[in-house]
Structures are given as C-alpha cells and as structure tokens.
Amino acid sequence: MTTGAPAVAARAPGRVNLIGDHTDYTGGLCFPMAIDRHIDIAGSPAAGVVRLTTPGEPDAVVPLDVTDPAAQSPEWARYVAGVVSQLRPSVGFAGTVTSTLPAGAGLSSSAALEVAVALVLGADGTDPVALARLCQAAEHAARGVPTGLLDQLACIGGVAGHGLLIDCRALTTTPVPLPPTDEAEWLVVFTGARSLAASQYTTRVAELAAVEQEIGPVRDASADDVAGLRDPVLRSRARHVVSENARVAAFAESIAAGDVVAAGALMSDSHRSLRDDYQSSAPHVDVLCARLDATPGVLGSRITGGGWGGAVVALTRPGAVDATAVAAVAGTGTRHDAAAWYVHPSPGAHLLDHPEN
Ligand code: GLA
C-alpha cells in the first residue's frame, strides 16, 4: 500500500421499499431491495476523533466520547456521531464520504451512512441483525424519530438480483429473485426532499401503540379485531397495517411466481391504503401515482419509505416510462429537485477489498 492511500473502505447501498410500509415497528412484513445507489467511505484509522469530509458540506468531526449525537453539526455529523456513541471505537478514523444517494428522498441515505461508518470503524458485519440494531440505535440517537429496522436490514442484507422478504418480528430476511430487466423494471421518482422528523411519523408510532393496548399485537390482529376498535382514526391506522402485511405476503408470492401484473396491482393497492387509511402520503405524490398508474406499461406505483413526500416506486414494463420526463412533472411545484432513475437490486453493505486502488 502506498503512503497516504486509504486502508479501509466500505460501501453501503440505499434501499427502496417495494411494498410493506409502516409495518416494521409493529413486527410486520416488508419487502425492500438494496439499490445501485450508495454511500462509500474510504480512509484510515486516526487518533482521537472520527473526521469525515464530503464534497459540498462542512466536515463531520466527532470525538470518540461524544454523548449527544443530536447536538452535532453539521446535520450529517449526527448520524456519524450516533454510530460512534453506539460502537465506542477505541481508535478514530479519517476519511472521505462520497454518495450517489440523495438525502431526504425516502431511499435511506441515513441508514447507508450509519452502516458504512460502522463498517469502517470495525463493527462486526457477520451478524446482520446485531449490526442493524446498532445502526437503528444510532439513528434514534441522531434524530429522535422512533424508526423501525427496515432500512438498516435492507441496507445490510441486500442480494444482487433479489428483493428481501423481511419478517420484522422473527427478524428473518428471505431473498426472493426479482424479474429480469427484460420483463419488468423498478423506477424510483424522487419528488423533493422532506424531513421525517417534521412529519407525523412519531404520531403514527404512538397511534399503533394505542391500537396494541386495545387489541394486542397488530401482527396477529384479524379484520374483526380491527373493526372492533372504538376510535375511527385508530381503526384506519390498524386497517392499513393488517392489510399491508397481507399485501406483502401476496406480493412475495406473485413475484416468486413471475406474476408482475398481480405484483403491480398490489403496489397500487398499498398506495391507496397509505393515502387513505394511514394518511402518510402527500397530494403531489398522489397526483404522480395516478399519472403513473394511467401510463401504458406501468404495472403499479406507490409512495415508498417514511412518506409525507419523498419517493415513489413504480413497477414498469421495460422502457415504459421516460425517467427524465417523469422527473420534470414530479415536484411539488415549489421545489425543483425532483429526479427519477431506474434502480437495480444490489448487494448489501460490505467492506471493499482493495481500497488503495
Ligand atoms: C422509514 C423508517 C422505517 C420504516 C419506514 C416506513 O423509512 O426508517 O423504519 O418505518 O419509514 O415503512
């Protein structure tokens, strides 16, 4: 290795959740895939602090004994600090972060950053659930939003060519082969940045806790249990989760059977449930999904990830949609940062073999 060349490098992908949103924090089912947009970190062990640079942002400089990750600045340093506070490495790190993942788009850039930081700081990558939990705790410390394990499990567990059926109660991840690109493709449309911390995410987590106080685990609830809930708002929230868990199971079966038409229809059903029962969509996203669903060759579309804006995922016949043209009409009207890409199922986070090259 030449002097000054990075000694350690890691790559962590973003994820798109194909179906199964707002199910993870009640031990439900979700079906994400890791995508070919990722965060890379390369650098070397260093004394005393973790110091990361990235183009266009102030450096993140985090002491190894950091106690309040949420108080760090710049903002992206909070996620780095979150990992440091959980992992407590005895040796620091100096390196560079590069990214092809937009932040705030619902594609888990924060989970990718956390996982990449954990790997370069020497976290044990052999136990995916333990690593996911460590990074989830880092996320909670950084942001204070009580998110589930979906993002970290998807980022860590990705398999090229496969989606992941994740059971968030058993904490099992089952890779399912996705259709070849000459049959169907996955389009992600980023409709503009949004903040989960400013959203009603935390309120929804509390609403589901209230549901479970009344009827027990939502994962085990029947339609009758849901119908018996007294509060109409809680009834709608529970109806989304119970029906979404069923849709994820049906989606996994359709995909495994090669029935992309049925899989696409389930995605659009999921969007309607998130829009109407969970109320975690946004008007400009609903307009976009309606437009996509009406486009020949689009098999289904839905809001994906945390919600209240962010990203949409669509299942399309090859070449059915011009990504650039969709991006041009996808924004909120006040933002001009919309973008769209076809994404491909990709390997999970890993150390890179020859960082010096
Ligand atoms: C965010 C959270 C996840 C999950 C999704 C919604 O991405 O980080 O844990 O709850 O929202 O499915």
Side-chain angles (χ1 to χ4, degrees), residues 15 17 20-22 24-25 147-151 196 201 305-306:
R15 64 98 185 92
N17 195 23
D21 272 310
H22 293 282
D24 62 346
Y25 46 84
T147 44
L149 269 174
L150 159 65
D151 305 346
L196 210 54
Y201 188 100

Side-chain angles (χ1 to χ4, degrees), residues 9 15 20 34 44 56 62 68-69 71 85 93 102 169 181 207 229 239 251 278 284 287-288 310 313 318 337-338 349:
R15 64 98 185 92
S44 305
V62 176
D68 187 2
S85 73
F93 187 85
R169 180 154 70 180
T181 47
E207 288 168 346
L229 282 160
R239 188 165 53 220
F251 179 87
Y278 219 66
H284 71 281
V287 169
L288 173 63
V313 61
D337 49 356

Side-chain angles (χ1 to χ4, degrees), residues 25-69:
Y25 46 84
T26 48
L29 301 175
C30 47
F31 195 109
M33 72 183 199
I35 62 173
D36 49 343
R37 292 194 155 257
H38 42 75
I39 288 179
D40 285 354
I41 303 182
S44 305
V49 294
V50 175
R51 177 186 296 275
L52 295 173
T53 62
T54 197
E57 293 278 348
D59 291 358
V61 184
V62 176
L64 298 186
D65 59 355
V66 62
T67 52
D68 187 2

Side-chain angles (χ1 to χ4, degrees), residues 19-149:
I19 195 164
D21 272 310
H22 293 282
T23 51
D24 62 346
Y25 46 84
T26 48
L29 301 175
C30 47
F31 195 109
M33 72 183 199
I35 62 173
D36 49 343
R37 292 194 155 257
H38 42 75
I39 288 179
D40 285 354
I41 303 182
S44 305
V49 294
V50 175
R51 177 186 296 275
L52 295 173
T53 62
T54 197
E57 293 278 348
D59 291 358
V61 184
V62 176
L64 298 186
D65 59 355
V66 62
T67 52
D68 187 2
Q72 296 290 303
S73 73
E75 206 179 324
W76 73 280
R78 295 177 192 172
Y79 301 100
V80 180
V83 175
V84 172
S85 73
Q86 295 303 314
L87 197 59
R88 290 290 176 219
S90 53
V91 179
F93 187 85
T96 306
V97 180
T98 50
S99 175
T100 55
L101 258 182
L107 296 176
S108 288
S109 56
S110 58
L113 179 59
E114 291 147 15
V115 174
V117 169
L119 289 178
V120 296
L121 290 180
D124 177 7
T126 58
D127 181 342
V129 173
L131 180 58
R133 282 204 164 115
L134 183 142
C135 292
Q136 179 195 33
E139 172 98 21
H140 291 175
R143 190 151 64 157
V145 180
T147 44
L149 269 174

Side-chain angles (χ1 to χ4, degrees), residues 189-250:
V189 187
F190 169 39
T191 71
R194 62 96 181 90
S195 155
L196 210 54
S199 78
Q200 292 175 53
Y201 188 100
T202 303
T203 307
R204 292 293 178 277
V205 174
E207 288 168 346
L208 262 293
V211 165
E212 296 202 319
Q213 285 257 310
E214 207 172 320
I215 62 170
V218 189
R219 175 69 189 273
D220 299 325
S222 65
D224 282 352
D225 295 331
V226 172
L229 282 160
R230 290 183 296 268
D231 181 306
V233 171
L234 295 189
R235 214 183 300 139
S236 307
R237 306 298 187 242
R239 188 165 53 220
H240 164 69
V241 178
V242 170
S243 63
E244 186 80 344
N245 283 332
R247 277 186 293 272
V248 174

Side-chain angles (χ1 to χ4, degrees), residues 158-317:
V159 176
H162 292 66
L164 307 172
L165 173 59
I166 299 180
D167 181 326
C168 295
R169 180 154 70 180
L171 292 175
T172 52
T173 297
T174 309
V176 179
L178 292 174
T181 47
D182 59 358
E183 216 171 282
E185 293 189 292
W186 305 102
L187 175 73
V188 170
V189 187
F190 169 39
T191 71
R194 62 96 181 90
S195 155
L196 210 54
S199 78
Q200 292 175 53
Y201 188 100
T202 303
T203 307
R204 292 293 178 277
V205 174
E207 288 168 346
L208 262 293
V211 165
E212 296 202 319
Q213 285 257 310
E214 207 172 320
I215 62 170
V218 189
R219 175 69 189 273
D220 299 325
S222 65
D224 282 352
D225 295 331
V226 172
L229 282 160
R230 290 183 296 268
D231 181 306
V233 171
L234 295 189
R235 214 183 300 139
S236 307
R237 306 298 187 242
R239 188 165 53 220
H240 164 69
V241 178
V242 170
S243 63
E244 186 80 344
N245 283 332
R247 277 186 293 272
V248 174
F251 179 87
E253 280 176 20
S254 301
I255 287 288
D259 188 348
V260 290
V261 173
L266 287 160
M267 291 171 69
S268 296
D269 288 347
S270 167
H271 181 76
R272 284 185 282 273
S273 179
L274 287 160
R275 180 191 66 192
D276 300 338
D277 279 343
Y278 219 66
Q279 295 184 296
S280 59
S281 185
H284 71 281
V285 172
D286 299 336
V287 169
L288 173 63
C289 286
R291 192 189 279 250
L292 283 166
D293 284 355
T295 304
V298 174
L299 302 169
S301 70
R302 60 189 293 281
I303 191 167
T304 179
W308 292 281
V312 161
V313 61
L315 178 59
T316 80
R317 292 291 184 194

